[in-house]
Amino acid sequence: MSINPKEGAPKEAKPPKKGAIALKTPKGTRDWIGADINLRDDIFANISRVFKAHGGTPLDTPVFELSEILTNKYGEDSRLIYELQDQGGELCSLRYDLTVPLARYLAQSSTLNMKRYQIAKVYRRDNPSIARGRLREFFQCDFDTVGEYDTMIPDSEILCIAVEVFESLGMADDITIKLNHRKILDGLFRVAGVPEDKIRPISSAVDKLDKAPWAEVKKEMVEEKGLDEAVADKIGEYVKHSGGPELIELLRKDTEAMANENVEAGLKEMSLLFDYLKAYDITSKVSFDLSLARGLDYYTGLIYEVVTKLPPDAKAHDEESRIGSIAAGGRYDNLVGMFGKRQIPCVGISFGVDRIFTILKTRQEKEKQAARKADVYIMAFGGKGFDGLLAERMAIARMLWKEGIRTEFSAKVKPKLPQQFKAAETNDIPLAVILGEGEVAEGKLRLKRLGLGEGQSAEEKDGRLLAKEDLVAEVKKYLAENA
Amino acid sequence: MSINPKEGAPKEAKPPKKGAIALKTPKGTRDWIGADINLRDDIFANISRVFKAHGGTPLDTPVFELSEILTNKYGEDSRLIYELQDQGGELCSLRYDLTVPLARYLAQSSTLNMKRYQIAKVYRRDNPSIARGRLREFFQCDFDTVGEYDTMIPDSEILCIAVEVFESLGMADDITIKLNHRKILDGLFRVAGVPEDKIRPISSAVDKLDKAPWAEVKKEMVEEKGLDEAVADKIGEYVKHSGGPELIELLRKDTEAMANENVEAGLKEMSLLFDYLKAYDITSKVSFDLSLARGLDYYTGLIYEVVTKLPPDAKAHDEESRIGSIAAGGRYDNLVGMFGKRQIPCVGISFGVDRIFTILKTRQEKEKQAARKADVYIMAFGGKGFDGLLAERMAIARMLWKEGIRTEFSAKVKPKLPQQFKAAETNDIPLAVILGEGEVAEGKLRLKRLGLGEGQSAEEKDGRLLAKEDLVAEVKKYLAENA
């Protein structure tokens, strides 16, 4: 994994001395360089290609907006907005997503319809979790269709874009798109007896069901948000359902629910949507999931979230090993109108590139590791009269083989150093053990990372001097960290 | 010009009503969309191609840094740094440039040499001037060579990169690279009698010589910064010099100056530099200019600034028509060491893409305007029995021709509307006057902008209804705004 456990700080960074400047990026941010940028740019290129195939126009907005533009758009998450200091002049905030800036752009311009895309960093003062790919500065890739069109036609195209993006990234087999509809959800809450002013807070609580068990969510509803326990239980009955178009039929048999006009209208739209998804041949990629709520206040219709299927060996409740949704979005017909000029209906999706990056990077590393034949290459070098240290190379190899560490060395008595490096690098072997005559005499050797490229420190160039008995532990540590 | 006089707000944006949200981007920022993004991306692609040809590796750093990282790096300009609000946790500031983040990266990593480039937005709470392409959020494209190398070899390559970037943009004939050397400049200040603690403030004052006459700069030195008038006059004698390698010989004859070891060392380096510039065949692009000082504190050696030559019809002192430097940089050998770990010498350049964009966009518009045959196309349309309104079209054409406005209309008695549109758009004509029977009877007509693409308002689609007598003024206004 390239995202560093110390939040972007290279591994050798030491905690700063008292009074010294902390040499690191701010919490939850990271530097991007080298192979990471190449992989990231590949992801951007694939996503942009799909966006362009669907007629998208790029838009680039400022990194900060007037603070009042962001006010009342994000519900409970507003506390995560980064504010700029009041240094005189306008009050500004870093953008929290790319959707509200789009709405601001639409409200101020004369544009009535467009397909716009934007790939840019957004900012959230959230608790960073590097392992889950959750940072405070992260990329979003957004595509939104703006304008009045016939029901569910743009919505289904957005879902098609989602499938095509993950097809382009070779991830289509690993994803499911969860669908729900705000009208159905809000209608069911009303049917269950949730008071009008509690609809949004209860919706927020339901949104946590992908991370927390029902008992915990129920507790939040009842104890924190003051909902009747019976009402909560009724919600619990509804949100356990998920599946395909057959769920529409199931709900249609629920006369109590169908008496609510929102539920009825939402189901009609879902039914139409499933017709279009069939035409696009992507029905197998979606799951109609009544527990999907989406935290944001501004959604008004269809909502969706792309999740990765857990690998079979992952524990479902191992929070750190899970990566949340990797794309999400929905229909928001009233957001532009919040700026007071006119209503323009919109539907869109946002891809979380940092999480996608984390998945693809891990996969790359695993493939690379599986493809190579060995993890350690033992080399020897010396000056005039150098005897090749063959016995020493054999002894070290035996030591590593015993531990199950895949190890190779040259089958020549007196191999030349450049040839040994070439053999190791041709086979993409990540570690070299380098034996020199003087060091061998002292029971020492050097352990060097290969393939670091330019700009190495002296220690990285020459390898780290170790006592022979520390080698196994160091190699295992490296392999564990780079598994 | 696409950069809007109202700082990014589309032209039709009205001032907000009391209590309403201001629908605009923050002061000094703008949205990028459509043809502007395409031109900008072309500029990025050209610059990146040059950077890659010289072995550059991309680096992407967070948009904000820990505030203490930026402290004491920018001299008088530190007041322009955007601070994030203290919301608990670390204090952060938006990056002011890409150089200090690079230095932070180098100080925390084990990298001892690299050629890195970064293309990203930076933030300065400066007084925005749209006409001069000076914004509060703007792009920089930086290339820096990091590491110990022989004197002036990386420095001359950076100047070569500057020339190649402007060659790739078709601007090589319009630029001059001003050069100076901090050792020479500081040495001459000492020779002139500037006290040690006033060297940097006096250097800052000299830096304003490209914008202000000597009398004003002298006034700042004497009245604001308390320099002896005689010392200021001596500086005045030095900074008036500029030219090619012959200036080195001129200074070598100044025994008083040459007695200063900084001046002597600086001249030796400049002489070596001119040898290398000759080898790269770019001597004609540079001017050794003793009045160049560069505001930033961190430069230690060669400094440079790329300026555009004024077009022959521009007034030299018309502040608004001038665009400042379009690229700048220098050698900064002590910046990485300010972070306390170790010294790593660096030399780099930063290209101001927004200013380059403004120049190229204006040029594009002018070329487009010069290439097209007419500015107005007069069209007629009507229902059954429509007579073609030929006499009316002729009368309107005559009205515009009299004013010298290039005008065309169809040579058919009863032209079809789509054919008229096609004729206008094929010839890239920006304005259509549309005559309808009912409107003509009332002495009215419609003026429509062509080529707006998708997403137009109803008024933009149909054209704006005008009284016939207002047409000339409206057309002239459009042509003046889009000249």
Side-chain angles (χ1 to χ4, degrees):
Chain A
M1 288 248 311
S2 121
I3 296 180
N4 192 289
K6 279 184 188 161
E7 294 161 10
K11 280 174 190 166
E12 68 273 35
K14 306 242 164 36
K17 287 173 222 143
K18 263 182 193 156
I21 291 177
L23 281 179
K24 63 181 211 66
T25 61
K27 191 175 176 187
T29 68
R30 56 165 298 197
D31 293 320
W32 290 85
I33 193 160
D36 282 2
I37 285 205
N38 295 340
L39 174 57
R40 191 188 81 181
D41 287 351
D42 276 353
I43 297 172
F44 289 157
N46 278 306
I47 294 179
S48 308
R49 207 174 304 121
V50 174
F51 287 175
K52 282 178 188 158
H54 286 265
T57 299
L59 171 70
D60 176 28
T61 61
V63 82
F64 47 77
E65 294 279 342
L66 296 177
S67 295
E68 59 181 5
I69 296 284
L70 304 192
T71 306
N72 295 326
K73 307 297 185 303
Y74 300 111
E76 291 179 5
D77 288 342
S78 293
R79 69 199 152 79
L80 303 180
I81 294 173
Y82 276 98
E83 313 282 353
L84 294 190
Q85 195 176 303
D86 182 0
Q87 295 173 284
E90 300 161 332
L91 295 179
C92 297
S93 309
L94 296 187
R95 61 185 167 215
Y96 179 87
D97 63 11
L98 303 176
T99 310
V100 170
L102 169 64
R104 187 266 307 150
Y105 172 82
L106 292 171
Q108 95 185 73
S109 82
S110 55
T111 305
L112 291 173
N113 50 66
M114 74 186 295
K115 288 171 169 181
R116 95 81 181 77
Y117 70 88
Q118 182 166 8
I119 298 180
K121 288 174 177 172
V122 301
Y123 299 88
R124 300 187 184 178
R125 294 183 57 259
D126 210 345
N127 229 355
S129 159
I130 308 294
R132 295 178 60 197
R134 192 168 65 189
L135 291 161
R136 289 180 158 196
E137 176 183 60
F138 59 98
F139 277 95
Q140 286 194 336
C141 295
D142 278 31
F143 186 102
D144 294 78
T145 299
V146 173
E148 297 271 7
Y149 298 99
D150 282 348
T151 308
M152 288 294 157
I153 295 179
D155 312 56
S156 58
E157 187 181 356
I158 297 278
L159 297 177
C160 194
I161 287 173
V163 172
E164 287 171 12
V165 160
F166 290 106
E167 278 171 352
S168 79
L169 298 170
M171 294 171 69
D173 291 344
D174 310 325
I175 58 131
T176 300
I177 307 176
K178 291 193 202 172
L179 302 177
N180 201 356
H181 198 298
R182 270 280 165 91
K183 281 185 191 162
I184 297 173
L185 196 64
D186 291 2
L188 291 177
F189 288 153
R190 285 187 184 93
V191 170
V194 179
E196 206 58 31
D197 63 324
K198 290 206 166 79
I199 298 261
R200 286 275 68 78
I202 292 304
S203 187
S204 273
V206 167
D207 190 49
K208 292 167 189 158
L209 273 175
D210 58 334
K211 295 168 203 133
W214 167 248
E216 209 171 289
V217 170
K218 180 181 165 184
K219 201 174 152 195
E220 177 179 332
M221 289 178 176
V222 175
E223 292 181 17
E224 279 176 46
K225 300 190 165 160
L227 196 69
D228 272 2
E229 197 173 342
V231 175
D233 286 337
K234 203 155 178 189
I235 294 172
E237 279 307 302
Y238 283 124
V239 299
K240 72 183 183 195
H241 292 294
S242 71
E246 74 284 357
L247 182 52
I248 298 172
E249 296 318 310
L250 189 80
L251 282 166
R252 279 190 169 147
K253 284 174 196 144
D254 182 335
T255 48
E256 192 189 5
M258 286 303 282
N260 179 290
E261 60 181 17
N262 275 325
V263 175
E264 202 210 343
L267 282 173
K268 209 172 149 192
E269 290 192 14
M270 287 303 282
S271 174
L272 197 57
L273 177 72
F274 272 104
D275 290 346
Y276 299 150
L277 298 184
K278 200 175 161 195
Y280 287 134
D281 192 22
I282 55 173
T283 316
S284 67
K285 292 281 146 217
V286 306
S287 161
F288 182 10
D289 188 330
L290 285 173
S291 76
L292 177 71
R294 306 282 308 129
L296 296 176
D297 276 6
Y298 52 62
Y299 291 118
T300 54
L302 186 70
I303 49 179
Y304 31 84
E305 203 168 277
V306 181
V307 295
T308 48
K309 291 175 192 161
L310 285 175
D313 58 338
K315 291 165 233 148
H317 291 286
D318 176 359
E319 169 102 11
E320 283 300 297
S321 76
R322 284 188 57 237
I323 283 188
S325 68
I326 52 177
R331 172 163 286 283
Y332 50 102
D333 286 348
N334 302 333
L335 183 59
V336 179
M338 285 178 80
F339 295 113
K341 219 169 146 192
R342 70 187 153 209
Q343 218 51 273
I344 305 179
C346 302
V347 61
I349 188 163
S350 179
F351 295 86
V353 171
D354 298 72
R355 292 176 176 186
I356 293 169
F357 172 88
T358 301
I359 293 169
L360 291 179
K361 174 103 182 169
T362 308
R363 183 181 297 179
Q364 262 188 2
E365 300 278 345
K366 278 191 177 147
E367 281 167 4
K368 226 166 136 184
Q369 206 183 353
R372 71 186 176 227
K373 297 183 300 176
D375 294 314
V376 180
Y377 196 97
I378 304 169
M379 306 180 183
F381 81 106
K384 259 193 179 167
F386 163 63
D387 75 350
L389 299 170
L390 183 58
E392 284 76 10
R393 286 186 277 148
M394 288 172 162
I396 301 287
R398 177 78 177 116
M399 193 169 93
L400 295 169
W401 286 334
K402 266 199 282 197
E403 300 289 330
I405 297 166
R406 299 182 303 172
T407 305
E408 287 195 343
F409 57 89
S410 165
K412 279 184 188 297
V413 176
K414 294 185 189 177
K416 291 201 168 66
L417 195 61
Q419 287 166 352
Q420 297 176 80
F421 269 109
K422 206 183 158 189
E425 295 194 345
T426 305
N427 292 302
D428 204 25
I429 294 171
L431 292 173
V433 171
I434 304 173
L435 306 178
E437 285 173 313
E439 289 148 3
V440 164
E442 292 170 18
K444 291 187 173 162
L445 45 76
R446 290 183 179 273
L447 180 63
K448 176 178 161 62
R449 281 212 46 185
L450 297 174
L452 288 184
E454 274 183 52
Q456 299 175 39
S457 67
E459 187 181 281
E460 285 172 341
K461 260 187 197 140
D462 297 340
R464 193 144 59 90
L465 195 65
L466 292 178
K468 203 160 81 177
E469 54 271 24
D470 295 334
L471 179 65
V472 167
E474 286 296 321
V475 170
K476 282 190 170 171
K477 195 175 144 205
Y478 169 84
L479 292 175
E481 278 171 4
N482 294 274
Chain B
M1 290 247 315
S2 124
I3 296 179
N4 192 289
K6 278 183 189 162
E7 294 159 13
K11 282 179 189 162
E12 68 273 34
K14 304 243 164 37
K17 287 174 222 142
K18 262 182 196 161
I21 291 177
L23 281 179
K24 62 182 211 68
T25 61
K27 192 176 175 184
T29 69
R30 56 165 297 196
D31 293 322
W32 289 85
I33 192 158
D36 282 1
I37 287 206
N38 295 340
L39 174 58
R40 192 187 82 181
D41 286 352
D42 277 353
I43 296 171
F44 289 157
N46 278 307
I47 295 179
S48 307
R49 206 174 304 122
V50 174
F51 287 174
K52 282 179 187 157
H54 286 265
T57 300
L59 171 69
D60 176 30
T61 60
V63 81
F64 47 79
E65 295 279 342
L66 296 176
S67 295
E68 58 181 5
I69 297 283
L70 304 193
T71 306
N72 294 327
K73 306 297 184 304
Y74 299 112
E76 292 178 5
D77 288 343
S78 294
R79 70 199 151 80
L80 302 181
I81 295 172
Y82 276 98
E83 312 283 352
L84 294 191
Q85 195 176 305
D86 182 1
Q87 296 173 284
E90 301 161 332
L91 295 180
C92 298
S93 310
L94 296 188
R95 61 183 168 217
Y96 179 87
D97 63 12
L98 304 174
T99 310
V100 170
L102 169 65
R104 186 266 308 148
Y105 172 82
L106 293 170
Q108 92 184 74
S109 83
S110 56
T111 305
L112 291 174
N113 50 64
M114 74 185 298
K115 287 172 170 179
R116 96 81 182 75
Y117 70 89
Q118 183 166 7
I119 298 180
K121 288 174 179 174
V122 300
Y123 299 88
R124 300 187 183 176
R125 295 182 56 258
D126 210 343
N127 229 354
S129 157
I130 307 294
R132 295 178 58 195
R134 192 168 66 192
L135 291 161
R136 289 181 157 194
E137 174 182 62
F138 60 98
F139 277 96
Q140 287 194 334
C141 295
D142 278 28
F143 186 101
D144 294 78
T145 300
V146 173
E148 297 270 6
Y149 299 98
D150 283 347
T151 307
M152 288 293 154
I153 295 178
D155 312 57
S156 57
E157 187 180 357
I158 297 277
L159 296 178
C160 194
I161 287 173
V163 172
E164 287 171 11
V165 160
F166 290 106
E167 280 171 351
S168 80
L169 298 170
M171 293 171 69
D173 290 344
D174 311 326
I175 58 133
T176 300
I177 308 177
K178 291 192 204 174
L179 303 176
N180 200 358
H181 198 297
R182 269 281 165 92
K183 281 186 192 162
I184 298 174
L185 196 63
D186 292 2
L188 290 178
F189 289 154
R190 286 186 184 93
V191 170
V194 179
E196 206 58 32
D197 63 323
K198 290 206 166 80
I199 298 260
R200 285 275 69 76
I202 292 304
S203 187
S204 272
V206 167
D207 191 48
K208 291 167 188 158
L209 273 176
D210 60 333
K211 293 170 204 131
W214 166 249
E216 208 171 291
V217 171
K218 181 180 164 184
K219 200 174 155 196
E220 177 179 334
M221 290 179 175
V222 176
E223 292 180 16
E224 279 177 45
K225 299 188 168 162
L227 196 69
D228 272 0
E229 197 173 341
V231 174
D233 285 336
K234 205 155 176 188
I235 294 173
E237 280 307 300
Y238 283 124
V239 298
K240 72 182 183 196
H241 291 295
S242 72
E246 75 284 357
L247 182 51
I248 299 174
E249 296 318 312
L250 189 79
L251 283 166
R252 278 187 171 151
K253 285 177 194 144
D254 182 336
T255 48
E256 192 190 5
M258 287 301 285
N260 180 291
E261 59 181 16
N262 275 326
V263 174
E264 201 209 344
L267 282 173
K268 211 173 148 190
E269 290 191 15
M270 287 303 283
S271 174
L272 197 56
L273 176 72
F274 272 104
D275 290 346
Y276 298 151
L277 297 185
K278 201 176 160 193
Y280 286 135
D281 192 21
I282 55 172
T283 317
S284 66
K285 293 279 146 218
V286 307
S287 161
F288 181 9
D289 188 331
L290 286 173
S291 75
L292 177 72
R294 307 283 308 128
L296 296 176
D297 277 5
Y298 52 61
Y299 291 118
T300 55
L302 186 70
I303 48 178
Y304 31 82
E305 205 169 276
V306 181
V307 294
T308 47
K309 292 177 193 160
L310 286 174
D313 58 337
K315 289 165 234 145
H317 289 285
D318 175 0
E319 170 100 9
E320 283 301 296
S321 78
R322 285 188 57 236
I323 283 186
S325 68
I326 52 178
R331 171 162 287 283
Y332 51 101
D333 286 349
N334 302 333
L335 183 60
V336 179
M338 286 178 78
F339 296 114
K341 221 170 147 190
R342 70 187 153 207
Q343 218 50 273
I344 306 179
C346 302
V347 60
I349 188 163
S350 179
F351 294 87
V353 171
D354 298 72
R355 292 176 177 188
I356 293 170
F357 172 87
T358 302
I359 293 170
L360 291 179
K361 173 100 181 170
T362 309
R363 184 180 297 180
Q364 263 189 2
E365 299 278 346
K366 279 191 179 150
E367 282 166 5
K368 228 166 135 184
Q369 207 186 350
R372 72 187 176 226
K373 298 184 300 177
D375 295 313
V376 180
Y377 196 98
I378 303 167
M379 306 180 183
F381 82 105
K384 257 193 182 165
F386 163 62
D387 75 352
L389 297 171
L390 182 59
E392 284 76 10
R393 286 186 279 145
M394 289 173 162
I396 301 285
R398 176 76 179 119
M399 194 168 93
L400 294 169
W401 286 334
K402 264 198 283 194
E403 299 289 329
I405 297 166
R406 299 182 303 170
T407 305
E408 287 195 343
F409 58 89
S410 165
K412 280 183 188 295
V413 174
K414 292 185 187 178
K416 290 201 168 67
L417 196 61
Q419 286 166 351
Q420 297 176 81
F421 269 110
K422 205 181 161 192
E425 294 193 346
T426 307
N427 291 301
D428 204 26
I429 295 172
L431 293 174
V433 170
I434 303 174
L435 306 179
E437 285 174 314
E439 288 148 3
V440 163
E442 291 170 17
K444 289 186 175 164
L445 45 78
R446 289 183 180 272
L447 180 63
K448 176 177 161 64
R449 281 213 45 186
L450 298 173
L452 288 182
E454 273 182 52
Q456 300 175 39
S457 67
E459 187 180 282
E460 285 172 340
K461 260 187 199 139
D462 298 339
R464 193 145 57 91
L465 195 65
L466 291 179
K468 202 160 82 179
E469 55 271 26
D470 294 334
L471 177 64
V472 167
E474 287 296 321
V475 170
K476 282 189 171 173
K477 195 175 145 205
Y478 169 84
L479 293 176
E481 278 171 4
N482 293 276

